[in-house]
């Protein structure tokens, strides 16, 4: 009886302590996970993120559903699938009745604030305390720190727990911040999913400079928390968002677009240097925070799941599959082009479904010039190529490079990749006899899920999203 009473008291005390934890979530903008040292980068400098991963947890199989800003952020904050919130296209807003983290934590006494880039709406679905956006034209880190300090100090003064989301613009093109002199274009290692050109290398320098600038922000925010004795009682999370605007990441269902970087430290819950290999979704963040901080969840509140057991170090699968989508409409240059993409992943294989493989092409603003160059045959000398277009005009291309250039716009009906042996998704196994059964199993699971989501015909789904170019 005494033992039970002691155990109950300890549990009650831990519960009270959990409810009083603060939260700081720092979000990048179009940043591929493989630029972080924690995920194996040898070139890009991210010491603060790497330190956090060593002291806390690194998630190796974390995914989002759509590799575009607005769908990603609304999935993160609501914990709901973009199919459910109506946010499959970019620049979209959630359907009426969508609830998000502020709805659950504010009644518990939390100040739930958003500082920096928003890209979510409407306000009634995302009722954050708005601390304002920051400039993309210059380094916004000092301004972010200034506003964060004001927020931290006010919360401390009023003895209020807080949940602060800091949304940086760093790593979203055009690249304007960071110290580009820290990188030598000629010494960078070009990943095998890109074609090596001078234009690409120059862009990589600018991109890496912004990644490092974002990493600096992570260190600056941490320092302010430590200075105020808040670090020991703050859940600290850093996320890459979806992949870069450079080819085969954002605006796709490839792994470099949907596979995200996610590291965190959770006082009293996470263990030092843990690596979570189970599948997790960005939609899992909201229900995990709400549930563990004392919220009262009802069935159907979230599509994501509480992953606290994974954070504690229990290797228990939470998801069997991760599903992904791309909707081409509402993107600059391609508002009316219909080329939907859907995908499914388990812990080893990824399958991508391109319904319009016969009569359509995929594209986005970063690929439009490359498409024109391909159609022209030979571009005019006055046309300065961007990254993707520089691939087209490169001389002495290898067979692999020719295939990558074709892959920019033309995709087969199904693509199947072994993520263990081919993490860059370069070899399509869909027609290999050995993988036939695996492909059939993934196709069946994907069709079943799309039917549940009322998205059995992705072409019709996308056509319903097409809006006037004026919007």
């Amino acid at each position: 009886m005494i033992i039970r009473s002691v155990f109950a008291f300890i549990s009650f005390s831990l519960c009270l302590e959990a409810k009083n934890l603060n939260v700081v979530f720092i979000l990048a903008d179009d940043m591929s996970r493989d630029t972080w040292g924690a995920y194996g980068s040898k070139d890009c400098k991210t010491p603060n993120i790497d330190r956090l991963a060593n002291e806390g947890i690194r998630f190796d199989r974390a995914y989002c559903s759509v590799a575009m800003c607005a769908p990603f952020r609304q999935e993160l904050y609501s914990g709901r699938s973009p199919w459910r919130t109506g946010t499959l296209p970019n620049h979209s807003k959630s359907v009426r009745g969508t609830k998000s983290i502020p709805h659950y934590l504010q009644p518990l006494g939390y100040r739930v604030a958003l500082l920096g880039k928003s890209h979510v709406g409407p306000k009634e679905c995302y009722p954050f305390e708005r601390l304002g956006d920051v400039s993309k034209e210059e380094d916004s880190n000092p301004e972010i720190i200034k506003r964060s300090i004001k927020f931290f100090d006010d919360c401390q003064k009023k003895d209020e727990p807080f949940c602060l989301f800091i949304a940086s613009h760093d790593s979203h093109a055009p690249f304007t911040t960071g110290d580009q002199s820290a990188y030598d274009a000629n010494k960078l290692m070009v990943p095998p999913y890109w074609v090596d050109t001078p234009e690409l290398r120059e862009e990589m320098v600018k991109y890496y400079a912004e990644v490092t600038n974002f990493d600096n922000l992570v260190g600056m925010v941490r320092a302010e928390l430590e200075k105020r004795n808040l670090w020991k009682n703050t859940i600290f999370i850093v996320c890459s968002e979806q992949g870069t605007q450079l080819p085969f990441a954002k605006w796709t269902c490839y792994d470099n677009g949907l596979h995200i970087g996610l590291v965190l430290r959770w006082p009293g819950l996470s263990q030092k240097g843990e690596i979570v290999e189970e599948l997790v979704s960005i939609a899992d963040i909201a229900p995990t925070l709400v549930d563990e901080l004392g919220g009262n969840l009802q069935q159907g509140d979230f599509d994501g799941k509480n992953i606290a057991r994974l954070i504690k170090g229990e290797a228990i699968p939470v998801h069997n599959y991760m599903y992904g989508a791309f909707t081409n409409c509402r993107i600059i240059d391609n508002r009316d082009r219909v080329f939907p993409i859907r995908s499914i992943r388990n812990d080893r294989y990824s399958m991508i479904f391109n319904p319009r493989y016969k009569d359509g092409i995929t594209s986005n603003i970063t690929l439009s010039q490359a498409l024109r160059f391909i159609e022209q045959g030979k571009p005019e000398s006055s046309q300065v190529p961007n990254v993707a277009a520089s691939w087209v005009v490169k001389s002495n291309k290898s067979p692999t490079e020719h295939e990558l250039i074709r892959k920019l716009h033309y995709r087969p009906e199904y693509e199947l990749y072994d993520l263990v042996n081919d993490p860059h998704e370069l070899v399509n196994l869909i027609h290999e006899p050995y993988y036939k059964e695996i492909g059939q199993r993934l196709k069946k699971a994907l069709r079943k899920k799309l039917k549940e989501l009322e998205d059995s015909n992705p072409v019709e789904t996308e056509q319903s999203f097409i809006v006037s170019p004026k919007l």
Side-chain angles (χ1 to χ4, degrees):
M1 192 69 165
I2 294 176
I3 294 176
R4 288 184 180 179
S5 298
V6 171
F7 179 78
F9 175 76
I10 293 173
S11 300
F12 179 70
S13 299
L14 291 173
C15 183
L16 286 178
E17 184 178 349
K19 290 180 180 179
N20 291 325
L21 287 174
N22 302 307
V23 181
V24 172
F25 190 111
I26 307 180
L27 181 64
D29 199 356
D30 294 354
M31 185 179 293
S32 292
R33 67 195 286 276
D34 63 2
T35 57
W36 294 2
Y39 289 105
S41 176
K42 303 299 183 184
D43 290 335
C44 198
K45 302 174 179 66
T46 56
N48 295 293
I49 294 172
D50 303 344
R51 178 188 178 191
L52 179 64
N54 289 331
E55 294 177 352
I57 290 182
R58 184 188 82 204
F59 291 86
D60 271 8
R61 290 187 174 91
Y63 286 90
C64 62
S65 297
V66 179
M68 293 187 288
C69 298
F72 181 101
R73 290 158 194 264
Q74 290 173 99
E75 182 175 18
L76 165 64
Y77 299 142
S78 72
R80 300 182 179 193
S81 155
W83 282 272
R84 182 178 178 189
T85 58
T87 56
L88 284 175
N90 208 10
H91 307 292
S92 54
K93 295 183 178 181
S94 293
V95 297
R96 181 177 298 178
T98 298
K99 289 185 177 181
S100 60
I101 289 178
H103 289 100
Y104 298 93
L105 293 188
Q106 286 171 347
L108 301 178
Y110 274 83
R111 298 263 297 272
V112 188
L114 174 61
L115 196 174
K117 181 174 178 177
S118 173
H119 219 169
V120 300
K123 288 185 178 180
E124 57 264 29
C125 296
Y126 301 93
F128 289 99
E129 177 180 340
R130 305 279 176 151
L131 304 185
D133 201 350
V134 291
S135 174
K136 171 61 181 167
E137 302 302 319
E138 58 186 12
D139 181 9
S140 62
N141 286 356
E143 182 62 26
I144 290 176
I145 293 301
K146 177 182 176 182
R147 297 186 201 176
S148 297
I149 289 174
K150 183 178 179 181
F151 179 75
F152 295 152
D153 289 348
D154 192 50
C155 290
Q156 275 195 302
K157 181 180 178 181
K158 297 176 180 177
D159 195 25
E160 296 172 318
F162 58 81
C163 177
L164 174 63
F165 288 88
I166 299 174
S168 171
H169 288 282
D170 274 338
S171 74
H172 190 295
F175 305 124
T176 56
T177 68
D179 180 10
Q180 296 178 17
S181 69
Y183 294 99
D184 184 340
N186 296 319
K187 294 181 178 179
L188 296 179
M189 183 176 66
V190 175
Y193 47 77
W194 287 338
V195 175
D196 190 350
T197 63
E199 290 82 358
L200 171 68
R201 287 179 173 274
E202 290 177 11
E203 201 73 356
M204 286 176 67
V205 166
K206 300 175 186 176
Y207 170 43
Y208 282 12
E210 290 215 358
V211 174
T212 298
N213 201 57
F214 173 77
D215 180 79
N216 291 340
L217 175 64
V218 172
M220 294 163 72
V221 174
R222 173 174 181 162
E224 295 301 332
L225 291 169
E226 291 176 334
K227 191 181 301 182
R228 286 158 179 77
N229 202 29
L230 292 168
W231 177 251
K232 64 180 181 180
N233 202 41
T234 297
I235 301 166
F236 196 73
I237 309 173
V238 180
C239 182
S240 65
E241 206 199 38
Q242 76 274 328
T244 177
Q245 286 187 217
L246 295 172
F248 302 125
K250 183 180 181 180
W251 295 312
T252 75
C253 283
Y254 290 116
D255 213 61
N256 206 28
L258 297 176
H259 201 170
I260 65 176
L262 183 66
V263 297
L264 67 80
R265 174 184 172 276
W266 190 310
L269 202 63
S270 62
Q271 302 298 314
K272 183 177 181 179
E274 286 288 333
I275 298 174
V276 175
E277 296 185 349
E278 283 69 31
L279 291 167
V280 300
S281 166
I282 197 62
D284 296 333
I285 295 295
T288 303
L289 289 175
V290 172
D291 206 11
E292 296 303 310
L293 295 177
N296 183 22
L297 302 188
Q298 302 296 320
Q299 186 174 1
D301 282 349
F302 298 102
D303 296 319
K305 299 181 180 180
N306 186 335
I307 57 171
R309 295 179 70 180
L310 295 180
I311 297 173
K312 293 175 184 176
E314 299 180 32
I316 300 174
V318 176
H319 301 279
N320 293 323
Y321 298 109
M322 288 287 115
Y323 300 92
F326 170 69
T327 297
N328 212 113
C329 65
R330 299 192 193 178
I331 298 176
I332 299 171
D333 278 5
N334 305 286
R335 295 183 186 276
D336 297 323
R337 180 176 290 144
V338 175
F339 196 95
I341 304 172
R342 302 293 184 264
S343 67
I344 181 172
R345 280 169 176 76
N346 59 19
D347 58 359
R348 176 155 186 172
Y349 298 99
S350 67
M351 172 174 280
I352 300 171
F353 173 41
N354 303 294
R356 290 208 66 196
Y357 71 104
K358 282 186 177 180
D359 54 357
I361 55 174
T362 185
S363 193
N364 57 65
I365 189 171
T366 67
L367 303 181
S368 296
Q369 188 187 46
L371 182 60
R372 289 197 300 271
F373 280 20
I374 291 171
E375 293 172 340
Q376 291 171 5
K378 185 178 181 180
E380 298 177 6
S381 58
S382 61
Q383 295 177 297
V384 179
N386 63 15
V387 170
S390 75
W391 298 8
V392 178
V393 300
K394 180 182 180 181
S395 59
N396 300 320
K397 292 187 283 287
S398 69
T400 299
E401 290 173 332
H402 275 290
E403 184 60 32
L404 285 172
I405 292 167
R406 176 172 176 77
K407 190 177 177 180
L408 289 173
H409 302 98
Y410 299 93
R411 313 280 172 79
E413 182 178 15
Y414 286 99
E415 302 170 63
L416 176 64
Y417 301 102
D418 181 342
L419 296 174
V420 172
N421 295 319
D422 179 25
H424 302 305
E425 298 177 318
L426 299 176
V427 181
N428 185 3
L429 302 170
I430 193 63
H431 296 302
E432 295 292 328
Y434 178 81
Y435 295 93
K436 182 177 180 179
E437 182 180 347
I438 294 169
Q440 289 177 338
R441 186 165 67 248
L442 291 174
K443 285 180 186 178
K444 182 179 179 180
L446 179 59
R447 285 194 294 265
K448 179 181 178 182
K449 186 63 176 181
L450 292 179
K451 184 176 181 180
E452 292 174 2
L453 297 169
E454 299 182 355
D455 186 27
S456 293
N457 188 333
V459 174
E460 288 185 0
T461 300
E462 182 155 342
Q463 287 172 335
S464 72
F465 289 134
I466 293 177
V467 295
S468 168
K470 295 181 180 179
L471 296 180

